[in-house]
Coordinates of all heavy atoms in Angstrom, one line a residue:
M102 N -21.5 2.9 -14.1 CA -20.7 3.6 -15.1 C -19.4 2.8 -15.3 O -18.8 2.3 -14.3 CB -20.3 5.0 -14.5 CG -19.8 5.9 -15.6 SD -19.5 7.6 -15.0 CE -17.7 7.5 -14.8
I103 N -19.0 2.6 -16.5 CA -17.8 1.8 -16.8 C -16.6 2.7 -16.9 O -16.7 3.7 -17.7 CB -18.0 1.0 -18.1 CG1 -19.1 0.0 -17.9 CG2 -16.7 0.2 -18.5 CD1 -19.7 -0.6 -19.2
K104 N -15.6 2.5 -16.1 CA -14.4 3.3 -16.2 C -13.3 2.5 -16.9 O -13.1 1.3 -16.7 CB -14.0 3.6 -14.7 CG -13.6 5.1 -14.6 CD -13.3 5.3 -13.1 CE -11.8 5.4 -12.9 NZ -11.5 5.5 -11.4
C105 N -12.7 3.2 -17.8 CA -11.6 2.5 -18.5 C -10.3 2.8 -17.8 O -9.6 3.8 -18.0 CB -11.5 3.1 -20.0 SG -10.4 2.1 -21.0
S106 N -9.9 1.9 -17.0 CA -8.7 2.1 -16.2 C -7.5 1.2 -16.8 O -7.8 0.2 -17.4 CB -8.9 1.7 -14.7 OG -9.4 0.4 -14.7
P107 N -6.3 1.7 -16.6 CA -5.2 1.0 -17.2 C -5.0 -0.4 -16.5 O -5.4 -0.5 -15.3 CB -4.0 1.9 -17.0 CG -4.4 2.8 -15.9 CD -5.9 2.9 -15.9
V108 N -4.5 -1.4 -17.2 CA -4.3 -2.7 -16.6 C -3.0 -2.6 -15.8 O -1.9 -2.2 -16.4 CB -4.1 -3.8 -17.7 CG1 -3.9 -5.1 -17.1 CG2 -5.4 -3.8 -18.6
M109 N -3.1 -2.8 -14.5 CA -1.9 -2.7 -13.7 C -1.3 -4.1 -13.4 O -2.0 -5.1 -13.3 CB -2.3 -2.1 -12.3 CG -3.0 -0.8 -12.4 SD -2.1 0.5 -13.2 CE -1.2 1.1 -11.7
R110 N 0.0 -4.0 -13.5 CA 0.8 -5.2 -13.2 C 1.9 -4.9 -12.2 O 2.3 -3.8 -12.1 CB 1.4 -5.8 -14.5 CG 0.4 -6.4 -15.4 CD -0.1 -7.7 -14.9 NE -1.1 -8.4 -15.8 CZ -2.4 -8.2 -15.7 NH1 -2.9 -7.4 -14.8 NH2 -3.2 -8.8 -16.6
I111 N 2.4 -5.9 -11.5 CA 3.4 -5.6 -10.5 C 4.7 -6.0 -10.9 O 5.0 -7.1 -11.5 CB 3.0 -6.4 -9.2 CG1 1.7 -5.7 -8.6 CG2 4.1 -6.3 -8.1 CD1 1.0 -6.4 -7.5
C112 N 5.7 -5.1 -10.8 CA 7.1 -5.4 -11.1 C 7.6 -6.5 -10.1 O 7.4 -6.4 -8.9 CB 7.9 -4.1 -10.9 SG 9.6 -4.3 -11.0
I113 N 8.3 -7.5 -10.7 CA 8.8 -8.6 -9.9 C 9.9 -8.1 -9.0 O 10.3 -8.8 -8.0 CB 9.2 -9.8 -10.7 CG1 10.3 -9.5 -11.7 CG2 8.0 -10.5 -11.4 CD1 11.1 -10.7 -12.2
S114 N 10.5 -7.0 -9.3 CA 11.6 -6.5 -8.5 C 11.2 -5.6 -7.3 O 11.4 -5.9 -6.2 CB 12.6 -5.9 -9.4 OG 13.8 -5.6 -8.6
C115 N 10.6 -4.5 -7.7 CA 10.2 -3.5 -6.6 C 8.8 -3.7 -6.1 O 8.5 -3.1 -5.1 CB 10.4 -2.1 -7.2 SG 9.3 -1.7 -8.5
R116 N 8.1 -4.6 -6.7 CA 6.7 -4.9 -6.2 C 5.7 -3.8 -6.3 O 4.7 -3.8 -5.6 CB 6.8 -5.5 -4.8 CG 7.5 -6.8 -4.7 CD 6.6 -7.9 -5.0 NE 7.4 -9.2 -5.3 CZ 6.8 -10.2 -5.9 NH1 5.6 -10.2 -6.3 NH2 7.5 -11.3 -6.2
K117 N 6.0 -2.8 -7.1 CA 5.1 -1.7 -7.3 C 4.2 -2.0 -8.5 O 4.7 -2.6 -9.4 CB 5.9 -0.4 -7.5 CG 6.5 0.2 -6.2 CD 7.1 1.5 -6.5 CE 8.2 1.9 -5.5 NZ 9.2 2.7 -6.0
A118 N 3.0 -1.5 -8.4 CA 2.1 -1.7 -9.6 C 2.2 -0.6 -10.6 O 2.3 0.6 -10.2 CB 0.7 -1.8 -9.1
Y119 N 2.3 -0.9 -11.8 CA 2.4 0.0 -12.9 C 1.4 -0.3 -14.0 O 1.0 -1.5 -14.2 CB 3.8 0.0 -13.5 CG 4.9 0.6 -12.6 CD1 5.8 -0.3 -12.0 CD2 5.0 1.9 -12.4 CE1 6.8 0.2 -11.1 CE2 6.0 2.4 -11.6 CZ 6.9 1.5 -10.9 OH 7.9 2.0 -10.1
D120 N 1.1 0.7 -14.8 CA 0.4 0.4 -16.1 C 1.2 -0.6 -16.9 O 2.4 -0.4 -17.1 CB 0.2 1.8 -16.8 CG -0.7 1.6 -18.1 OD1 -0.8 0.5 -18.6 OD2 -1.2 2.7 -18.5
R121 N 0.5 -1.6 -17.4 CA 1.1 -2.7 -18.1 C 2.0 -2.2 -19.3 O 3.0 -2.7 -19.7 CB 0.1 -3.7 -18.6 CG 0.6 -5.0 -19.1 CD -0.5 -5.9 -19.4 NE -1.5 -5.4 -20.4 CZ -2.5 -6.1 -20.9 NH1 -2.8 -7.3 -20.4 NH2 -3.3 -5.5 -21.8
K122 N 1.5 -1.1 -19.9 CA 2.2 -0.5 -21.1 C 3.6 0.0 -20.8 O 4.4 0.0 -21.6 CB 1.4 0.7 -21.6 CG 0.1 0.4 -22.2 CD -0.5 1.6 -23.0 CE -0.9 2.7 -22.2 NZ -2.2 2.6 -21.6
N123 N 3.8 0.3 -19.5 CA 5.1 0.8 -19.1 C 6.1 -0.2 -18.5 O 7.1 0.1 -18.0 CB 4.9 1.9 -18.1 CG 4.2 3.1 -18.7 OD1 4.4 3.4 -19.9 ND2 3.4 3.8 -17.9
L124 N 5.6 -1.5 -18.6 CA 6.5 -2.5 -18.1 C 7.1 -3.4 -19.2 O 6.5 -3.5 -20.3 CB 5.6 -3.4 -17.2 CG 5.1 -2.8 -15.9 CD1 4.0 -3.5 -15.3 CD2 6.2 -2.6 -14.9
L125 N 8.2 -4.0 -18.9 CA 8.8 -5.0 -19.7 C 8.2 -6.3 -19.4 O 8.2 -6.8 -18.2 CB 10.3 -5.0 -19.5 CG 11.2 -5.9 -20.4 CD1 11.1 -5.4 -21.9 CD2 12.6 -5.7 -19.9
K126 N 7.6 -7.0 -20.4 CA 6.9 -8.2 -20.1 C 7.7 -9.4 -20.6 O 8.1 -9.4 -21.8 CB 5.5 -8.2 -20.8 CG 4.7 -9.5 -20.6 CD 3.5 -9.4 -21.6 CE 2.7 -10.7 -21.5 NZ 1.8 -10.8 -22.6
I127 N 8.0 -10.3 -19.8 CA 8.7 -11.5 -20.2 C 7.8 -12.7 -20.1 O 7.2 -13.0 -19.0 CB 10.0 -11.7 -19.4 CG1 11.0 -10.6 -19.7 CG2 10.7 -13.1 -19.7 CD1 11.1 -9.6 -18.7
T128 N 7.6 -13.4 -21.1 CA 6.6 -14.5 -21.1 C 7.3 -15.9 -21.5 O 8.1 -15.9 -22.4 CB 5.5 -14.2 -22.2 OG1 4.9 -13.0 -21.8 CG2 4.5 -15.3 -22.2
K129 N 6.8 -16.9 -20.8 CA 7.3 -18.2 -21.1 C 6.2 -18.8 -22.0 O 5.2 -19.3 -21.6 CB 7.4 -19.0 -19.8 CG 7.9 -20.4 -20.0 CD 7.8 -21.2 -18.7 CE 8.1 -22.6 -18.8 NZ 7.8 -23.3 -17.5
D130 N 6.4 -18.7 -23.3 CA 5.4 -19.1 -24.3 C 5.4 -20.6 -24.4 O 6.5 -21.3 -24.3 CB 5.8 -18.5 -25.7 CG 4.7 -18.7 -26.7 OD1 3.8 -17.9 -26.7 OD2 4.8 -19.7 -27.4
H131 N 4.2 -21.1 -24.5 CA 4.0 -22.6 -24.5 C 4.8 -23.2 -25.6 O 5.3 -24.3 -25.5 CB 2.6 -22.9 -24.7 CG 1.7 -22.4 -23.6 ND1 2.0 -22.7 -22.2 CD2 0.7 -21.6 -23.6 CE1 1.1 -22.0 -21.5 NE2 0.3 -21.3 -22.3
K132 N 4.9 -22.6 -26.8 CA 5.5 -23.2 -27.9 C 6.9 -22.6 -28.2 O 7.8 -23.3 -28.6 CB 4.6 -23.0 -29.2 CG 3.4 -23.8 -29.2 CD 2.5 -23.5 -30.3 CE 1.1 -24.2 -30.2 NZ 0.1 -23.6 -31.0
Q133 N 7.1 -21.3 -28.0 CA 8.3 -20.7 -28.5 C 9.3 -20.4 -27.4 O 10.3 -19.8 -27.7 CB 7.9 -19.4 -29.3 CG 7.1 -19.7 -30.5 CD 6.7 -18.5 -31.3 OE1 7.5 -18.0 -32.0 NE2 5.5 -18.0 -31.1
G134 N 9.0 -20.8 -26.2 CA 10.0 -20.5 -25.2 C 9.9 -19.1 -24.6 O 8.8 -18.4 -24.7
I135 N 10.9 -18.6 -24.1 CA 10.9 -17.3 -23.5 C 10.9 -16.1 -24.5 O 11.7 -16.1 -25.4 CB 12.2 -17.1 -22.5 CG1 12.3 -18.2 -21.5 CG2 12.1 -15.7 -21.8 CD1 11.2 -18.4 -20.5
M136 N 9.9 -15.2 -24.3 CA 9.8 -14.1 -25.2 C 9.7 -12.8 -24.5 O 9.3 -12.8 -23.3 CB 8.5 -14.3 -26.1 CG 8.5 -15.6 -26.8 SD 7.1 -15.8 -27.9 CE 7.9 -15.1 -29.4
I137 N 10.1 -11.7 -25.2 CA 10.0 -10.4 -24.6 C 8.9 -9.6 -25.2 O 8.9 -9.5 -26.5 CB 11.3 -9.7 -24.7 CG1 12.4 -10.4 -23.8 CG2 11.2 -8.2 -24.1 CD1 13.8 -9.9 -23.9
Q138 N 8.0 -9.1 -24.5 CA 6.9 -8.2 -24.9 C 5.9 -9.0 -25.8 O 5.1 -8.3 -26.5 CB 7.4 -7.0 -25.7 CG 8.3 -6.1 -24.9 CD 7.6 -5.4 -23.7 OE1 7.0 -6.0 -22.9 NE2 7.9 -4.1 -23.6
K139 N 6.0 -10.3 -25.9 CA 5.0 -11.0 -26.7 C 4.9 -12.5 -26.2 O 5.6 -12.8 -25.2 CB 5.3 -11.0 -28.2 CG 6.7 -11.5 -28.5 CD 7.1 -11.2 -30.0 CE 8.6 -11.4 -30.2 NZ 9.1 -10.9 -31.4
G140 N 4.1 -13.3 -26.8 CA 3.9 -14.6 -26.4 C 2.7 -14.8 -25.4 O 2.2 -13.9 -24.9
M141 N 2.4 -16.1 -25.3 CA 1.2 -16.5 -24.4 C 1.7 -17.5 -23.4 O 2.4 -18.4 -23.7 CB 0.1 -17.1 -25.3 CG -0.5 -16.3 -26.3 SD -1.8 -15.3 -25.6 CE -3.1 -16.5 -25.4
G142 N 1.4 -17.2 -22.2 CA 1.8 -18.1 -21.1 C 2.1 -17.4 -19.8 O 1.6 -16.2 -19.7
R143 N 2.8 -18.0 -19.0 CA 3.2 -17.4 -17.7 C 4.0 -16.2 -18.0 O 5.0 -16.3 -18.7 CB 3.9 -18.4 -16.8 CG 4.3 -17.9 -15.5 CD 5.0 -18.9 -14.7 NE 4.1 -20.0 -14.2 CZ 3.3 -19.8 -13.0 NH1 3.5 -18.8 -12.3 NH2 2.5 -20.8 -12.7
S144 N 3.7 -15.1 -17.4 CA 4.4 -13.8 -17.6 C 4.9 -13.2 -16.3 O 4.4 -13.3 -15.3 CB 3.6 -12.8 -18.3 OG 3.1 -13.3 -19.6
A145 N 6.0 -12.5 -16.5 CA 6.6 -11.7 -15.4 C 6.8 -10.3 -15.9 O 7.1 -10.1 -17.1 CB 7.9 -12.3 -14.9
Y146 N 6.7 -9.3 -15.1 CA 6.8 -7.9 -15.5 C 7.9 -7.2 -14.7 O 8.1 -7.4 -13.5 CB 5.5 -7.1 -15.3 CG 4.4 -7.7 -16.1 CD1 3.6 -8.7 -15.7 CD2 4.1 -7.1 -17.3 CE1 2.6 -9.2 -16.5 CE2 3.1 -7.5 -18.1 CZ 2.3 -8.6 -17.7 OH 1.3 -9.1 -18.5
I147 N 8.7 -6.4 -15.4 CA 9.7 -5.7 -14.8 C 9.5 -4.2 -15.2 O 9.3 -3.9 -16.4 CB 11.1 -6.1 -15.2 CG1 11.3 -7.6 -14.9 CG2 12.2 -5.3 -14.6 CD1 12.6 -8.2 -15.5
C148 N 9.6 -3.3 -14.2 CA 9.4 -1.9 -14.6 C 10.8 -1.4 -15.2 O 11.8 -2.0 -15.1 CB 9.0 -1.1 -13.4 SG 10.2 -0.7 -12.2
K149 N 10.7 -0.2 -15.8 CA 11.8 0.3 -16.6 C 12.7 1.2 -15.7 O 13.4 2.1 -16.3 CB 11.4 0.9 -17.8 CG 10.7 -0.1 -18.8 CD 10.0 0.6 -19.9 CE 9.2 -0.4 -20.8 NZ 8.4 0.3 -21.8
S150 N 12.7 1.0 -14.4 CA 13.6 1.8 -13.6 C 14.9 1.0 -13.5 O 14.9 -0.2 -13.4 CB 13.0 2.2 -12.3 OG 12.9 1.0 -11.4
K151 N 16.0 1.8 -13.5 CA 17.3 1.1 -13.5 C 17.5 0.2 -12.3 O 18.1 -0.9 -12.5 CB 18.4 2.2 -13.5 CG 19.6 1.8 -14.2 CD 20.5 2.9 -14.5 CE 21.7 2.5 -15.4 NZ 22.5 3.6 -15.7
E152 N 17.0 0.6 -11.2 CA 17.3 -0.3 -10.0 C 16.7 -1.7 -10.2 O 17.2 -2.7 -9.7 CB 16.6 0.3 -8.7 CG 17.1 1.6 -8.3 CD 16.1 2.7 -8.6 OE1 15.2 2.9 -7.8 OE2 16.3 3.3 -9.7
C153 N 15.6 -1.8 -11.0 CA 15.0 -3.0 -11.2 C 15.6 -3.9 -12.3 O 16.0 -5.0 -12.1 CB 13.5 -2.9 -11.5 SG 12.6 -2.3 -10.0
Y154 N 15.7 -3.3 -13.5 CA 16.2 -4.1 -14.6 C 17.7 -4.4 -14.5 O 18.2 -5.4 -15.0 CB 15.8 -3.6 -15.9 CG 16.4 -2.3 -16.4 CD1 17.8 -2.2 -16.6 CD2 15.6 -1.2 -16.6 CE1 18.3 -1.0 -17.1 CE2 16.1 0.0 -17.0 CZ 17.4 0.1 -17.2 OH 18.0 1.3 -17.7
S155 N 18.4 -3.6 -13.7 CA 19.9 -3.9 -13.6 C 20.2 -4.5 -12.2 O 21.3 -4.7 -11.9 CB 20.7 -2.6 -13.8 OG 20.3 -1.6 -12.9
D156 N 19.2 -4.9 -11.5 CA 19.3 -5.6 -10.3 C 20.1 -6.9 -10.5 O 19.8 -7.7 -11.4 CB 17.9 -5.9 -9.7 CG 17.9 -6.6 -8.4 OD1 19.0 -7.0 -7.9 OD2 16.9 -6.8 -7.8
S157 N 21.1 -7.2 -9.7 CA 21.9 -8.4 -9.9 C 21.1 -9.6 -9.6 O 21.5 -10.7 -10.1 CB 23.1 -8.3 -8.9 OG 22.7 -8.3 -7.6
K158 N 20.0 -9.5 -8.9 CA 19.2 -10.7 -8.7 C 18.0 -10.8 -9.6 O 17.2 -11.7 -9.5 CB 18.6 -10.6 -7.2 CG 19.7 -10.7 -6.2 CD 19.0 -10.8 -4.8 CE 20.0 -10.6 -3.7 NZ 20.3 -9.2 -3.4
I159 N 18.0 -10.0 -10.7 CA 16.8 -10.0 -11.5 C 16.6 -11.3 -12.3 O 15.5 -11.8 -12.5 CB 16.8 -8.7 -12.5 CG1 15.4 -8.5 -13.0 CG2 17.8 -8.9 -13.6 CD1 14.4 -8.0 -12.0
K160 N 17.7 -11.9 -12.7 CA 17.6 -13.2 -13.4 C 17.0 -14.3 -12.5 O 16.2 -15.1 -12.9 CB 19.0 -13.6 -13.9 CG 19.5 -12.8 -15.1 CD 21.0 -12.8 -15.2 CE 21.5 -11.6 -15.9 NZ 22.9 -11.4 -15.9
K161 N 17.5 -14.3 -11.2 CA 16.9 -15.2 -10.3 C 15.5 -15.0 -10.1 O 14.7 -15.9 -10.0 CB 17.7 -15.1 -8.9 CG 18.8 -16.1 -8.8 CD 19.2 -16.2 -7.3 CE 20.4 -17.2 -7.2 NZ 21.1 -17.0 -5.9
K162 N 15.1 -13.7 -9.9 CA 13.7 -13.4 -9.7 C 12.8 -13.8 -10.9 O 11.7 -14.3 -10.7 CB 13.6 -11.9 -9.4 CG 14.0 -11.5 -8.0 CD 14.0 -10.0 -7.9 CE 14.5 -9.6 -6.5 NZ 14.8 -8.2 -6.3
L163 N 13.4 -13.6 -12.1 CA 12.7 -13.9 -13.3 C 12.5 -15.5 -13.4 O 11.4 -15.9 -13.7 CB 13.5 -13.5 -14.5 CG 13.1 -12.2 -15.2 CD1 14.0 -12.0 -16.4 CD2 11.6 -12.3 -15.7
Q164 N 13.5 -16.2 -13.1 CA 13.5 -17.6 -13.1 C 12.4 -18.2 -12.2 O 11.7 -19.1 -12.5 CB 14.8 -18.2 -12.9 CG 15.8 -17.9 -14.0 CD 17.1 -18.7 -13.9 OE1 17.7 -19.1 -14.9 NE2 17.7 -18.8 -12.7
K165 N 12.4 -17.5 -11.0 CA 11.4 -17.9 -10.0 C 10.0 -17.6 -10.4 O 9.1 -18.4 -10.3 CB 11.7 -17.2 -8.7 CG 11.2 -17.9 -7.5 CD 11.6 -17.2 -6.2 CE 10.7 -17.6 -5.1 NZ 10.8 -16.6 -3.9
A166 N 9.8 -16.4 -11.0 CA 8.5 -16.0 -11.4 C 8.0 -16.8 -12.6 O 6.8 -17.1 -12.7 CB 8.5 -14.5 -11.8
L167 N 8.9 -17.1 -13.5 CA 8.5 -17.9 -14.7 C 8.6 -19.4 -14.5 O 8.2 -20.2 -15.3 CB 9.3 -17.5 -15.9 CG 9.2 -16.0 -16.3 CD1 10.3 -15.7 -17.4 CD2 7.9 -15.7 -16.9
K168 N 9.1 -19.8 -13.3 CA 9.3 -21.2 -13.0 C 10.1 -21.9 -14.1 O 9.7 -23.0 -14.6 CB 8.0 -21.9 -12.7 CG 7.2 -21.4 -11.5 CD 6.0 -22.3 -11.2 CE 5.0 -21.6 -10.4 NZ 5.3 -21.3 -9.1
T169 N 11.1 -21.3 -14.6 CA 11.9 -21.9 -15.6 C 13.4 -21.5 -15.5 O 13.7 -20.5 -14.8 CB 11.4 -21.5 -17.0 OG1 12.0 -22.3 -18.0 CG2 11.6 -20.1 -17.4
F170 N 14.2 -22.2 -16.2 CA 15.6 -21.8 -16.3 C 15.8 -20.9 -17.5 O 15.4 -21.2 -18.6 CB 16.5 -23.1 -16.4 CG 18.0 -22.8 -16.6 CD1 18.7 -22.3 -15.6 CD2 18.6 -22.9 -17.9 CE1 20.1 -22.0 -15.7 CE2 19.9 -22.5 -18.1 CZ 20.7 -22.1 -17.0
L171 N 16.5 -19.8 -17.3 CA 16.8 -18.9 -18.4 C 18.2 -19.2 -19.0 O 19.2 -19.1 -18.3 CB 16.7 -17.5 -17.9 CG 15.3 -17.0 -17.4 CD1 15.4 -15.7 -16.7 CD2 14.3 -17.0 -18.5
E172 N 18.1 -19.4 -20.3 CA 19.4 -19.7 -21.0 C 20.2 -18.4 -21.1 O 19.7 -17.3 -21.2 CB 19.0 -20.1 -22.5 CG 18.1 -21.3 -22.6 CD 18.8 -22.6 -22.2 OE1 20.0 -22.6 -22.2 OE2 18.1 -23.5 -21.9
P173 N 21.5 -18.5 -21.1 CA 22.4 -17.4 -21.3 C 22.0 -16.5 -22.5 O 22.2 -15.3 -22.5 CB 23.8 -17.9 -21.4 CG 23.7 -19.3 -20.8 CD 22.3 -19.8 -21.0
E174 N 21.6 -17.2 -23.6 CA 21.2 -16.5 -24.8 C 20.0 -15.6 -24.5 O 20.0 -14.5 -25.1 CB 20.7 -17.5 -25.9 CG 21.8 -18.4 -26.5 CD 22.2 -19.6 -25.6 OE1 21.5 -19.8 -24.6 OE2 23.2 -20.2 -26.0
F175 N 19.1 -16.0 -23.7 CA 18.0 -15.1 -23.3 C 18.5 -13.9 -22.6 O 18.1 -12.8 -22.8 CB 16.9 -15.8 -22.5 CG 15.9 -14.9 -21.9 CD1 15.0 -14.3 -22.7 CD2 16.1 -14.4 -20.6 CE1 14.1 -13.3 -22.2 CE2 15.2 -13.5 -20.1 CZ 14.2 -12.9 -20.9
I176 N 19.4 -14.1 -21.7 CA 20.0 -13.0 -20.9 C 20.6 -12.0 -21.8 O 20.4 -10.8 -21.6 CB 21.0 -13.5 -19.8 CG1 20.3 -14.6 -18.9 CG2 21.6 -12.4 -19.0 CD1 19.1 -14.1 -18.1
D177 N 21.3 -12.4 -22.8 CA 21.9 -11.5 -23.8 C 20.8 -10.6 -24.5 O 20.9 -9.4 -24.6 CB 22.6 -12.3 -24.9 CG 24.0 -12.8 -24.4 OD1 24.4 -12.4 -23.3 OD2 24.6 -13.6 -25.2
I178 N 19.7 -11.3 -24.9 CA 18.6 -10.6 -25.6 C 18.0 -9.6 -24.6 O 17.7 -8.5 -24.9 CB 17.6 -11.6 -26.1 CG1 18.2 -12.5 -27.2 CG2 16.4 -10.9 -26.7 CD1 17.4 -13.7 -27.5
F179 N 17.8 -10.1 -23.4 CA 17.1 -9.3 -22.3 C 18.0 -8.0 -22.1 O 17.4 -6.9 -22.0 CB 17.0 -10.2 -21.1 CG 16.5 -9.4 -19.9 CD1 15.2 -9.0 -19.8 CD2 17.4 -9.1 -18.8 CE1 14.7 -8.4 -18.6 CE2 16.9 -8.5 -17.7 CZ 15.6 -8.1 -17.6
E180 N 19.3 -8.2 -22.0 CA 20.1 -7.1 -21.7 C 20.2 -6.1 -22.8 O 20.2 -4.9 -22.6 CB 21.5 -7.5 -21.3 CG 21.5 -8.0 -19.9 CD 22.8 -8.7 -19.4 OE1 23.7 -8.9 -20.2 OE2 22.9 -9.0 -18.2
K181 N 20.1 -6.6 -24.0 CA 20.0 -5.6 -25.2 C 18.7 -4.9 -25.2 O 18.7 -3.7 -25.5 CB 20.2 -6.4 -26.5 CG 21.6 -6.5 -26.9 CD 21.7 -7.4 -28.2 CE 23.1 -8.0 -28.3 NZ 23.1 -9.2 -29.0
E182 N 17.6 -5.6 -24.9 CA 16.3 -5.0 -24.8 C 16.3 -3.8 -23.8 O 15.9 -2.7 -24.0 CB 15.3 -6.1 -24.5 CG 13.8 -5.6 -24.4 CD 13.2 -5.4 -25.8 OE1 13.7 -5.9 -26.8 OE2 12.2 -4.6 -25.9
I183 N 16.8 -4.1 -22.6 CA 16.7 -3.1 -21.5 C 17.7 -2.0 -21.7 O 17.4 -0.9 -21.3 CB 16.9 -3.7 -20.1 CG1 18.2 -4.5 -20.0 CG2 15.6 -4.6 -19.7 CD1 18.3 -5.2 -18.6
A184 N 18.8 -2.3 -22.5 CA 19.7 -1.2 -22.7 C 19.1 -0.1 -23.6 O 19.5 1.0 -23.5 CB 21.0 -1.8 -23.4
S185 N 18.1 -0.5 -24.3 CA 17.4 0.5 -25.2 C 16.5 1.4 -24.4 O 16.0 2.4 -24.9 CB 16.7 -0.2 -26.3 OG 15.6 -0.9 -25.8
Y186 N 16.2 1.1 -23.2 CA 15.3 1.9 -22.4 C 15.9 3.1 -21.7 O 15.3 4.0 -21.4 CB 14.6 1.1 -21.4 CG 13.6 0.1 -22.0 CD1 13.6 -1.2 -21.7 CD2 12.6 0.6 -22.9 CE1 12.7 -2.1 -22.2 CE2 11.7 -0.3 -23.4 CZ 11.8 -1.6 -23.1 OH 10.9 -2.5 -23.7
N187 N 17.2 2.9 -21.4 CA 17.9 3.9 -20.5 C 17.2 3.9 -19.2 O 16.6 2.9 -18.7 CB 18.0 5.2 -21.1 CG 18.9 5.2 -22.4 OD1 19.9 4.5 -22.4 ND2 18.4 5.8 -23.5
D188 N 17.1 5.0 -18.5 CA 16.4 5.1 -17.3 C 15.1 5.8 -17.6 O 15.0 7.0 -17.8 CB 17.2 5.9 -16.2 CG 16.9 5.4 -14.8 OD1 15.9 4.7 -14.7 OD2 17.5 5.9 -13.9
Y189 N 14.0 5.0 -17.5 CA 12.7 5.5 -17.9 C 12.2 6.3 -16.7 O 12.2 5.9 -15.6 CB 11.8 4.3 -18.2 CG 10.4 4.7 -18.7 CD1 10.2 4.9 -20.1 CD2 9.4 4.8 -17.8 CE1 9.0 5.3 -20.5 CE2 8.1 5.2 -18.3 CZ 7.9 5.4 -19.6 OH 6.7 5.7 -20.1
D190 N 11.6 7.5 -17.0 CA 11.0 8.3 -15.9 C 9.5 8.1 -15.9 O 8.8 8.4 -16.9 CB 11.3 9.8 -16.2 CG 12.7 10.2 -15.6 OD1 13.1 9.6 -14.6 OD2 13.4 11.0 -16.3
Y191 N 9.1 7.6 -14.8 CA 7.6 7.4 -14.7 C 6.9 8.7 -14.4 O 7.3 9.3 -13.4 CB 7.3 6.3 -13.7 CG 7.6 4.9 -14.2 CD1 8.7 4.3 -13.8 CD2 6.7 4.3 -15.0 CE1 9.0 3.0 -14.3 CE2 7.0 3.1 -15.5 CZ 8.1 2.4 -15.1 OH 8.4 1.2 -15.6
P192 N 5.9 9.0 -15.1 CA 5.2 10.3 -14.8 C 4.3 10.0 -13.6 O 3.5 9.1 -13.6 CB 4.3 10.5 -16.0 CG 4.3 9.3 -16.8 CD 5.4 8.3 -16.3
N193 N 4.6 10.7 -12.5 CA 3.8 10.4 -11.3 C 3.1 11.7 -10.8 O 3.7 12.7 -10.6 CB 4.7 9.9 -10.1 CG 4.8 8.4 -10.2 OD1 3.9 7.7 -10.5 ND2 6.0 7.9 -10.0
Ligands
ZN1 ZN1 10.4 -2.2 -10.4

């Protein structure tokens, strides 16, 4: 029997597994550089809980996960993106 289960990914901050749909995906695209929620290439996932996305070490963790240096411009975009989430409540 084929079961349709959600694709689980691990948050780089809290290391918990979540449905990919509920995570913020940051991708180092081969051609276009760092992208949020799109692009092809090495990706890192961050859950939408405040402790994770507002973690002071999140930039370092992202850089390590993506093996790249994140430009301050990206951090601005990233912060705007996460500001739109507020504190997401995961249904458990
Ligand atoms: Zn997390």
Side-chain angles (χ1 to χ4, degrees):
M102 197 175 103
I103 298 160
K104 225 175 101 186
C105 189
S106 55
V108 181
M109 304 298 275
R110 289 288 181 267
I111 294 172
C112 168
I113 60 161
S114 187
C115 62
R116 297 274 163 198
K117 284 182 201 154
Y119 292 103
D120 186 336
R121 192 173 60 176
K122 292 195 291 278
N123 294 328
L124 293 163
L125 184 62
K126 180 191 179 198
I127 293 102
T128 301
K129 184 186 169 189
D130 188 85
H131 301 303
K132 289 174 189 162
Q133 300 180 77
I135 306 297
M136 305 187 88
I137 296 175
Q138 303 292 49
K139 54 191 171 192
M141 296 276 287
R143 180 179 287 275
S144 298
Y146 295 84
I147 301 171
C148 75
K149 295 170 187 172
S150 72
K151 208 168 187 175
E152 300 104 83
C153 290
Y154 67 68
S155 59
D156 182 353
S157 59
K158 295 189 191 80
I159 200 69
K160 286 159 207 168
K161 262 192 181 163
K162 284 173 181 170
L163 260 180
Q164 293 190 139
K165 204 177 158 197
L167 296 171
K168 297 188 201 293
T169 192
F170 174 75
L171 295 171
E172 305 288 341
E174 289 80 7
F175 168 77
I176 302 300
D177 283 351
I178 296 165
F179 174 73
E180 282 174 351
K181 268 177 208 151
E182 182 77 22
I183 56 184
S185 67
Y186 290 127
N187 297 315
D188 207 354
Y189 185 88
D190 277 322
Y191 284 100
N193 276 320

